[in-house]
Amino acid sequence: MKVEQFKIDESNHQHKNEHQRKFDYVAADVANLDEVLQKLAAFNITIPSWALGTGGTRFGRFSGGGEPRSLEEKIEDVGVIHALNRSSDSVSLHIPWDIPENAASIKALAAQVGLRFDAVNSNTFQDQKDQQLSYKFGSLHHVDKAVRKQAVEHNIQVIKYGVELGSNALSVWLSDGSNFPGQLNFRKAFQNTLESLKEIYEALPDDWKVWVEYKPYEPNFYSTTIGDWGQSLLLANKLGAKASTLVDLGHHLPNTNIEQIVALLLMEGKLAGFHFNDSKYGDDDLTVGSINPYQLYLIFNELVEGMDARGMNHAKDLGWMIDASHNVKDPVEDLLQSVEAIKIAYAQALIVDRAALLEAQNNNDVVRAQEIIQEAYRTDVRPLVAEARLRQGGALKPVEAYRQLAVREELIKERGSKTVATGL
Ligand code: RM4
Ligand code: MN
Ligand code: MN
């Protein structure tokens, strides 16, 4: 299913006057308006191939109908998202959930709807049907060299798929860890992981990167071998310039100051990018911005400041990806909401009065600093985000347009109501 431009234009027509009024109101106070709009237009967020179906928990899975049955159909769905929001121009594949059997034709299909391929993700947290050795007790950290070798080879295979697709980063998340005290020798587990990652690193093409993700617990509940940003950074530093740390917003213990982590990783040139989602308790994989939009904004505030300090290109120099799971929502609607939340936080960060903030910080003027930070956060920047989208041919109100155009109903007609997508 393809969303046609004239239908988006029709939908925009209904909201035109209301949008103009709101846009003019906020735009009047934005000093660097053109720059903000340009940056917003250039800013895209990658859609994960594993989040286009209804996710489940270990207690059950409730399919919403019309789920993509193949990689081709997943690309079609991302095409719909991108047509509506003009901000999701790439897909991240999880292998072997999504194996590009014929890379050339998958690439061509993606290009038809304006998409390219971002980082590829390996999976050594599950056993596959025809797999020789089990990952029950870990993969890259395993006590048995043969298991480590199998996991290394899988990662190298994933790089090969990525090369065919034009991707240039491998994202590694390990569930390796232990469930009980005494189960694992922490030092050896870390060293095994490092040794395995080195072998993967050696297989990276010149222009490739490896992104090392961390997570404090789950599925292991006592220890995770790459459990926090310190452990990931240690590995990334030992590996070399092509390795850096990936921050998944759901992979922190409650109340962690993620924005501070981000600021320091960025300072070290070791921030790979993000897996965006939101979380109340743990790795909840909820819609971005649904629980704690203020934290998201504070993260973007550090990102904009830190990227500008290093002269980085906001849109291109870090990996911006969603990693979410939708148990009760239509995945496409959830992803549209997530991208919107990210762009709102980014827009807010773009309008922070940086010079005034610096001055307040240098004068230890705590009250003024807070005023400046919250001034931007409390500005309704949604019309700026919508205007940037409109100029790119997107919908003023993507979720509303998606519903008006009855996309899901159409997908259910095409695919049936009992389809199950691969993924979480
Ligand atoms: C993990 C982690 C990984 C993701 C898997 C599905 O918790 O976030 O990035 O690939 O889930
Ligand atoms: Mn993740
Ligand atoms: Mn996760």
Side-chain angles (χ1 to χ4, degrees), residues 126-376:
Q126 291 174 323
D127 285 346
Q128 305 305 323
K129 254 201 284 98
D130 44 5
Q131 190 179 308
Q132 219 189 331
L133 303 164
S134 173
Y135 295 135
K136 179 171 178 181
F137 296 107
S139 57
L140 298 186
H141 88 171
H142 205 281
V143 288
D144 181 354
K145 172 103 182 144
V147 179
R148 302 203 294 274
K149 185 163 180 280
Q150 176 183 284
V152 167
E153 276 163 11
H154 165 69
N155 276 275
I156 294 175
Q157 178 63 46
V158 172
I159 296 173
K160 287 189 182 139
Y161 282 127
V163 168
E164 289 179 8
L165 292 170
S167 154
N168 62 4
L170 169 72
S171 190
V172 178
W173 172 69
L174 303 176
S175 69
D176 296 13
S178 67
N179 263 305
F180 299 98
Q183 184 185 331
L184 206 65
N185 179 308
F186 295 139
R187 182 172 43 78
K188 286 185 185 160
F190 184 89
Q191 281 167 343
N192 283 341
T193 306
L194 175 61
E195 184 192 294
S196 307
L197 283 171
K198 274 185 180 160
E199 288 176 38
I200 297 167
Y201 191 92
E202 289 309 314
L204 289 172
D206 286 348
D207 58 339
W208 269 59
K209 306 254 181 278
V210 58
W211 298 343
V212 183
E213 192 172 348
Y214 58 89
K215 178 171 173 173
Y217 72 92
E218 195 209 19
N220 279 290
F221 293 107
Y222 172 61
S223 74
T224 302
T225 297
I226 312 180
D228 64 18
W229 71 285
Q231 292 155 22
S232 166
L233 180 62
L234 202 56
L235 289 165
N237 278 337
K238 287 179 190 291
L239 287 169
K242 292 181 189 172
S244 49
T245 297
L246 183 93
V247 177
D248 181 314
L249 296 188
H251 292 190
H252 303 85
L253 296 173
N255 301 328
T256 299
N257 187 333
I258 304 175
E259 54 272 27
Q260 188 176 12
I261 296 173
V262 167
L264 297 189
L265 285 173
L266 198 48
M267 176 183 81
E268 291 298 291
K270 282 293 191 185
L271 179 62
F274 287 83
H275 273 181
F276 289 112
N277 48 49
D278 211 341
S279 133
K280 177 82 179 159
Y281 302 106
D283 191 24
D284 307 342
D285 279 340
L286 298 173
T287 319
V288 186
S290 61
I291 304 286
N292 197 347
Y294 191 48
Q295 180 188 58
L296 183 67
Y297 157 69
L298 294 175
I299 290 169
F300 268 98
N301 177 48
E302 294 304 329
L303 282 168
V304 167
E305 196 274 337
M307 291 184 89
D308 287 348
R310 294 178 64 91
M312 291 165 74
N313 179 314
H314 295 181
K316 298 209 163 80
D317 291 351
L318 292 180
W320 309 109
M321 276 159 291
I322 291 174
D323 182 7
S325 172
H326 337 281
N327 299 329
V328 295
K329 286 179 178 170
D330 175 330
V332 172
E333 293 189 355
D334 189 316
L335 290 162
L336 287 170
Q337 288 183 315
S338 286
V339 172
E340 182 74 1
I342 294 167
K343 296 201 77 166
I344 288 171
Y346 178 44
Q348 288 164 332
L350 287 174
I351 62 164
V352 170
D353 187 341
R354 299 269 154 218
L357 182 61
L358 183 66
E359 191 187 298
Q361 288 169 344
N362 287 340
N363 292 328
N364 293 312
D365 191 342
V366 186
V367 169
R368 178 94 185 99
Q370 182 187 326
E371 293 287 309
I372 293 163
I373 286 289
Q374 292 190 339
E375 172 71 25

Side-chain angles (χ1 to χ4, degrees), residues 44-63:
N44 277 265
I45 297 106
T46 302
I47 303 296
S49 70
W50 61 101
L52 293 156
T54 317
T57 67
R58 67 185 194 274
F59 300 102
R61 192 182 206 258
F62 304 95
S63 166

